[in-house]
Amino acid sequence: MALPAVYLVIRASGAGWDTVEASLLRARTADLAVNTVQLAVAVTAASVILGVAMAVCVCRGIRRGRTLAVALLAAPLAVPSYVSGFAWGRMFSGFEGFPAAVLVLIMACYPLVMLPAIAVLSAAGRSAEDVARTLGYGPLRTFLWATAPRLRTAVAGGALLVALYTVSDFGGPAIVRYEVFTVGIYNAYNGSVDRSLAAVYGCVLVVIALVLALSERLARGDHDEIGAPERRPASSESPVAWLCVTATVTVGLFAPIWSLISAIRTSQRVPMSSVADVKDLLVWVWPLARNTFEIAMIAAAVIVVVSVPVALFIRRPRTPLSGAVEVTLNLGFALPGIAVALALVFFGIRVLPELYLTTTMLTAAYLILFLPVCLGPLRGAFDAIAPGQEDSARTLGAGYLATIARVSLPTVTPALVAGAALACLSVAKELPATLMLAPIGTRTLATDLWSLNNDLRYGQAAVLGLALIVVTSIPTVLLSTRFLPRGE
């Protein structure tokens, strides 16, 4: 897991301090840094506002159809940022630059804040809010006094995930032509034989990732408040809540899908006038969809298998070693796929050439990138197990492994399923690492969509965009249902 960061540092230092200094002091490096930071700040702030607003709408303003509302609001997770950027670009000419990147990434990221906020609000009930209202507090003051403190930890964790995702995303900014560090690394990798500049840019992102990973640990702390849930449905249906949910889903989901369908209908390269044309289309898309789903399932299975012993190791009580391991693991999610792929390309060519451009190395890249997304919910579930449960099993004669298998794992199964779904979703959408590390001849929906867009074959790219949304919607629906308590 530490290999990409370590190798990028070694590769950059090998170029010499003069080269590193010259690369860091370039005007383009400063521009990329400013673009990356302002994009991360804008997307994170807007995602927190929108995510919390949608969570409040769902939990306080919607009674009937709450499950449907959550599923629809979580659905933009199934729309990769580069697909969303492609779709909006087909609707509006000149859709590019900073505003375009902000919109695309907000729609891709706000569910990361909304889903944990919904989980907290659904379990917290409304007693504190009722007390505030009886004291004469208005809606806004009630939210700030009674609701916001309960959401602080969940929202902070979601905000950090949004920041990490924004810093590491490549496809969204690239397709709307907004240059950030990930785009700079990709261009430096493809545009020069000397890859020192790409390595230096990668090291800058390693530093950013380390700061964010340490911030995540400090924000979470070592103590979580666990209390008995107090579940109570929304007191009334709110038309305003439904209006806000509908508007958000329209912008994040329906508008991109409508744009893709329109691009297909107007394209002369995608004939759909007969049943035979549709069959030919399915014959073309099906192998790509199958490859995408198979690769995602295999990688998710590997991630789950690795995450269980790691979660057991870093669970409470915390130790300095487990803390260091956890911070190192979090680097993977913060590093962009292009930086991880760059490190594995160097490593594969020079150390393990027999693994270069193989499924094994591609799966290793997915493991580095997405182990934290599975590890997060699993670690929290292990920490929430009452100590007496495992102690009772041990006093009855069960060994350590038997206790884990018969007590701990069944208890954390929902969290494990949610982590596996999130890992599967992330792998299916991943673009830069797949472009650089996939075995020769291996094609996925994401890689072919990227190639078709670069070739200006927008109608065919739109077909693959819709197919990718269908594939990623399966784990998205499973994931969204895990954040509602039973009976919701």
Side-chain angles (χ1 to χ4, degrees):
M1 299 297 292
L3 174 64
V6 172
Y7 197 82
L8 285 174
V9 172
I10 295 175
R11 182 68 177 83
S13 62
W17 173 247
D18 292 339
T19 301
V20 173
E21 185 179 17
S23 299
L24 292 175
L25 296 179
R26 293 176 63 191
R28 175 170 169 76
T29 303
D31 291 339
L32 293 176
V34 171
N35 290 349
T36 301
V37 171
Q38 71 177 5
L39 182 64
V41 171
V43 171
T44 302
S47 296
V48 167
I49 294 172
L50 183 59
V52 172
M54 290 303 100
V56 173
C57 286
V58 167
C59 295
R60 299 295 184 257
I62 295 176
R63 177 185 296 177
R64 298 182 181 89
R66 183 179 297 186
T67 301
L68 175 62
V70 173
L72 289 175
L73 285 169
L77 281 175
V79 184
S81 59
Y82 51 88
V83 173
S84 180
F86 169 81
W88 282 97
R90 304 284 69 75
M91 285 190 287
F92 302 102
S93 60
F95 183 79
E96 59 184 40
F98 178 72
V102 170
L103 175 62
V104 166
L105 288 172
I106 288 172
M107 291 298 105
C109 292
Y110 81 84
L112 297 176
V113 177
M114 181 197 70
L115 289 174
I118 287 176
V120 173
L121 288 176
S122 296
R126 301 187 60 179
S127 58
E129 297 173 14
D130 293 340
V131 170
R133 297 306 296 268
T134 59
L135 293 175
Y137 288 9
L140 179 59
R141 193 177 179 189
T142 297
F143 175 81
L144 295 176
W145 180 81
T147 307
R150 299 185 180 190
L151 294 174
R152 182 173 53 198
T153 302
V155 169
L160 284 170
L161 286 178
V162 172
L164 294 174
Y165 183 93
T166 304
V167 168
S168 65
D169 189 45
F170 164 74
I175 209 161
V176 298
R177 296 179 176 84
Y178 184 70
E179 293 198 338
V180 291
F181 266 121
T182 51
V183 179
I185 292 172
Y186 185 81
N187 293 336
Y189 175 80
N190 287 329
S192 175
V193 176
D194 183 9
R195 307 292 165 72
S196 300
L197 180 60
V200 171
Y201 286 166
C203 289
V204 175
L205 283 177
V206 168
V207 174
I208 296 175
L210 184 60
V211 172
L212 292 174
L214 289 171
S215 300
E216 191 273 343
R217 180 167 175 80
L218 292 175
R220 188 183 72 249
D222 289 334
H223 302 284
D224 297 328
E225 293 183 3
I226 303 171
E230 179 200 349
R231 295 163 189 166
R232 178 178 169 185
S235 57
S236 62
E237 295 283 354
S238 171
V240 175
W242 273 112
L243 180 62
C244 293
V245 168
T246 301
T248 302
V249 172
T250 299
V251 174
L253 181 65
F254 295 150
I257 290 178
W258 178 84
S259 175
L260 294 175
I261 294 174
S262 297
I264 294 171
R265 293 177 60 186
T266 58
S267 174
Q268 297 179 353
R269 296 177 180 268
V270 187
M272 298 187 65
S273 58
S274 65
V275 176
D277 291 336
V278 175
K279 288 183 178 179
D280 291 341
L281 203 63
L282 292 176
V283 169
W284 167 52
V285 173
W286 171 247
L288 300 176
R290 182 186 60 205
N291 288 345
T292 301
F293 193 72
E294 289 179 353
I295 290 174
M297 290 295 292
I298 292 172
V302 173
I303 290 171
V304 167
V305 169
V306 174
S307 66
V308 171
V310 173
L312 288 169
F313 179 75
I314 65 175
R315 66 190 299 195
R316 281 195 288 261
R318 311 292 188 199
T319 65
L321 179 58
S322 68
V325 169
E326 188 174 6
V327 170
T328 303
L329 297 178
N330 283 334
L331 287 175
F333 188 68
L335 285 175
I338 186 68
V340 173
L342 184 66
L344 290 179
V345 166
F346 290 152
F347 183 78
I349 292 176
R350 299 170 187 238
V351 180
L352 293 173
E354 64 276 9
L355 293 182
Y356 181 57
L357 294 181
T358 64
T359 303
T360 300
M361 183 161 286
L362 180 61
T363 304
Y366 293 145
L367 179 65
I368 294 170
L369 288 167
F370 303 124
L371 177 62
V373 303
C374 182
L375 192 60
L378 188 59
R379 178 202 60 208
F382 274 125
D383 286 344
I385 296 176
Q389 288 183 262
E390 295 178 331
D391 293 341
S392 298
R394 299 298 295 272
T395 57
L396 292 173
Y400 177 76
L401 294 179
T403 301
I404 296 298
R406 299 173 61 182
V407 177
S408 304
L409 286 181
T411 304
V412 303
T413 295
L416 191 62
V417 172
L422 190 54
C424 183
L425 169 67
S426 302
V427 171
K429 296 194 302 181
E430 205 285 326
L431 177 63
T434 309
L435 283 172
M436 296 175 64
L437 295 174
I440 296 175
T442 299
R443 298 163 57 195
T444 66
L445 291 170
T447 58
D448 272 35
L449 186 155
W450 184 258
S451 299
L452 291 172
N453 179 71
N454 289 339
D455 294 339
L456 306 182
R457 299 163 68 178
Y458 298 130
Q460 292 170 306
V463 172
L464 298 188
L466 281 177
L468 185 56
I469 291 174
V470 171
V471 170
T472 53
S473 65
I474 300 172
T476 300
V477 171
L478 180 63
L479 180 65
S480 65
T481 60
R482 292 290 165 181
F483 286 87
L484 279 175
R486 293 180 182 179
E488 292 287 352

